Amino acid sequence: MTSSHPVPSRRTFLAGAGSLGAIAALAACSGGGAGSSGPDTEADPKDQTIGVAMPTQTYERWVQDGANIKKSLEKEGYKVTLQYADDDIPTQSQQIDQMVTQGVAALIIASIDGSALTSQLDAAKAAGIPVISYDRLLTNSENVDFYVTFDNYKVGVTQANSLLFGLGLLDEKFKKASDAPKGPLNIELFAGSLDDNNAHLFWKGAIDTLQPYMDDGVLEVPSKQTDIDQCAIQRWEQETAQKRMENLLTTHYKGDKKLDGVLAPADPLSRGIINALQNDGRGDTIKDGLPIITGQDAEIASIKLIADGVQFSTIFKDTRKLADQAVVAAKAYLEGKEPEANDTKTYDNGSKVVPSYLLPVEMVLESNYEKILVDSGYYTEEQVEKGQA
Ligand code: BGC
């Protein structure tokens, strides 16, 4: 499942440093995490506490991630310290400082700002604590042992493909539609938080997919805001996305100028954008004229909107599997082994290529949410109807 798409160079990453670096890095920390001394591989799990640092509880997924990691670690017999940081960088730094001082055996970290924890990671290394970077890449530090995540470039490609499908430019096999509209169709673009490495990969995947249509004039961005810096939503905040959409409507969509689609990188942002559009009288559902709006995370409130024909798509990333993968990796280090990577090329964090385990992603639409999410037991039909899990 190796992706050939490096971390964007605007973050000064050493794209394409290749797998040799990764092998060297693995060898260097063989069996002992990033730490000089390494964990006590003879210790009983019940005498070991794992520190789990999560960014925020405002996104449904992180609440589930934290709970799933804790459950999975406890099943293996470990004790767990789980902390959320309210999307506040100093709070997260302090929480990790405390975990290191407290003598945790391993750290699993989903960062707020991936580059803001270098001194905490230095301290973890000095104490021999292996560090697993969880979903978001920890950057600019040698002291990251392993990365568990999804195929983030593919998330962006899939979001863009769903937008093109919703606009009638691709058919249900995701090939060029024979009856595709000539356009121009009007779209607007949103990106995630710039300090989250994932936001850049989602953006790159999406823009690489949409660019040919923009170049041909089939897609137009009336605001001309096509740079990630103009489209980014700091801290992934729903209200900020809603405000940006309101401003775009006031400035670029006066009168009955049509907006056909919006690239939205996460479900809460999609819902903020939908609020702005509905308040502007652009229809309650897609049938009533609401634009095609993408998403990510398969949050229950958005699955209801998809079932009701309001939001067009989202991306399902099975965070239960991600949590298990993080635990497999932590356990391997604690037992003096090396976790298995399935990507040793893509994730150059600016200091090293971090060996990674990537999980797949799936596009969710009104036509397949039942199969992907209900039949698999992820949500019940009642939860979808209520929009609450
Ligand atoms: C995650 C997404 C999430 C976003 C906002 C990203 O790092 O990969 O799943 O929607 O953060 O929390």
Side-chain angles (χ1 to χ4, degrees):
M1 205 192 312
T2 303
S3 161
S4 56
H5 304 283
V7 175
S9 55
R10 68 176 295 283
R11 308 207 72 203
T12 64
F13 291 166
L14 312 170
S19 53
L20 283 179
I23 292 162
L26 271 171
C29 64
S30 142
S36 41
S37 49
D40 173 4
T41 55
E42 299 300 309
D44 195 317
K46 71 173 176 13
D47 299 324
Q48 293 178 301
T49 300
I50 316 291
V52 181
M54 291 283 125
T56 174
Q57 299 187 72
T58 58
Y59 268 59
E60 201 172 284
R61 68 153 293 183
W62 300 115
V63 176
Q64 289 165 356
D65 286 85
N68 289 335
I69 298 171
K70 185 166 186 287
K71 200 164 103 194
S72 185
L73 284 169
E74 284 171 349
K75 211 166 127 208
E76 295 292 337
Y78 297 105
K79 294 201 186 74
V80 181
T81 298
L82 166 64
Q83 302 266 358
Y84 284 88
D86 282 336
D87 258 341
D88 181 56
I89 297 165
T91 303
Q92 186 164 59
S93 311
Q94 217 174 39
Q95 289 172 341
I96 298 172
D97 277 334
Q98 267 166 18
M99 290 176 188
V100 173
T101 316
Q102 175 198 331
V104 293
L107 280 166
I108 297 175
I109 303 174
S111 55
I112 299 164
D113 177 335
S115 66
L117 296 170
T118 43
S119 67
Q120 283 69 33
L121 300 180
D122 289 348
K125 182 190 166 83
I129 301 169
V131 174
I132 315 295
S133 183
Y134 187 86
D135 195 56
R136 295 174 171 176
L137 187 64
L138 292 161
T139 58
N140 299 334
S141 173
E142 274 282 330
N143 304 320
V144 185
D145 291 283
F146 202 77
Y147 182 35
V148 294
T149 191
F150 295 89
D151 189 337
N152 293 307
Y153 180 84
K154 187 84 180 292
V155 168
V157 171
T158 311
Q159 287 170 334
N161 277 334
S162 78
L163 182 61
L164 294 171
F165 173 56
L167 292 172
L169 295 166
L170 295 179
D171 64 19
E172 65 282 354
K173 292 200 171 111
F174 296 93
K175 300 269 173 287
K176 193 176 183 315
S178 50
D179 54 349
K182 300 251 169 317
L185 299 170
N186 293 333
I187 60 164
E188 292 296 336
L189 309 167
F190 282 70
S193 198
L194 292 174
D195 49 10
D196 177 352
N197 188 61
N198 287 347
H200 297 267
L201 289 168
F202 302 152
W203 177 264
K204 185 159 179 11
I207 296 303
D208 285 353
T209 311
L210 297 175
Q211 194 66 54
Y213 296 85
M214 300 200 261
D215 292 345
D216 286 356
V218 178
L219 293 180
E220 245 173 43
V221 182
S223 71
K224 306 270 182 260
Q225 296 181 14
T226 53
D227 194 272
I228 189 169
D229 296 321
Q230 298 168 302
C231 302
I233 301 297
Q234 171 81 345
R235 296 279 171 279
W236 300 89
E237 275 180 13
Q238 176 165 346
E239 270 180 32
T240 315
Q242 180 162 342
K243 285 211 182 86
R244 175 163 184 260
M245 189 70 249
E246 287 164 359
N247 290 338
L248 288 171
L249 289 171
T250 322
T251 316
H252 303 282
Y253 293 85
K254 294 206 177 76
D256 57 4
K257 187 170 170 86
K258 192 149 185 258
L259 173 61
D260 299 289
V262 182
L263 174 79
D267 287 342
L269 307 189
S270 319
R271 296 197 296 274
I273 292 163
I274 289 169
N275 288 342
L277 291 161
Q278 289 178 333
N279 293 342
D280 196 50
R282 286 173 187 263
D284 286 338
T285 64
I286 299 168
K287 273 204 186 93
D288 298 337
L290 206 60
I292 301 298
I293 298 162
T294 65
Q296 176 172 200
D297 291 339
E299 287 197 356
I300 188 66
S302 283
I303 297 304
K304 177 173 170 48
L305 291 179
I306 289 173
D308 292 347
V310 178
Q311 183 173 323
F312 184 72
S313 65
T314 187
I315 305 292
F316 176 51
K317 306 195 296 189
D318 195 337
T319 54
R320 297 168 301 189
K321 291 191 179 147
L322 189 66
D324 286 346
Q325 207 52 52
V327 173
V328 166
K331 193 167 175 254
Y333 285 118
L334 294 175
E335 291 175 349
K337 300 178 202 145
E338 279 168 28
E340 187 194 324
N342 64 7
D343 185 330
T344 52
K345 288 190 180 133
T346 306
Y347 288 98
D348 186 331
N349 80 346
S351 298
K352 71 187 260 195
V353 179
V354 186
S356 309
Y357 196 96
L358 270 56
L359 289 165
V361 305
E362 272 181 288
M363 185 193 297
V364 177
L365 305 164
E366 191 180 350
S367 57
N368 70 5
Y369 79 87
E370 279 182 322
K371 183 162 167 273
I372 296 179
L373 300 169
V374 181
D375 296 355
S376 69
Y378 195 75
Y379 293 134
T380 64
E381 196 62 70
E382 294 70 53
Q383 288 172 326
V384 176
E385 263 161 44
K386 275 200 240 136
Q388 258 180 0

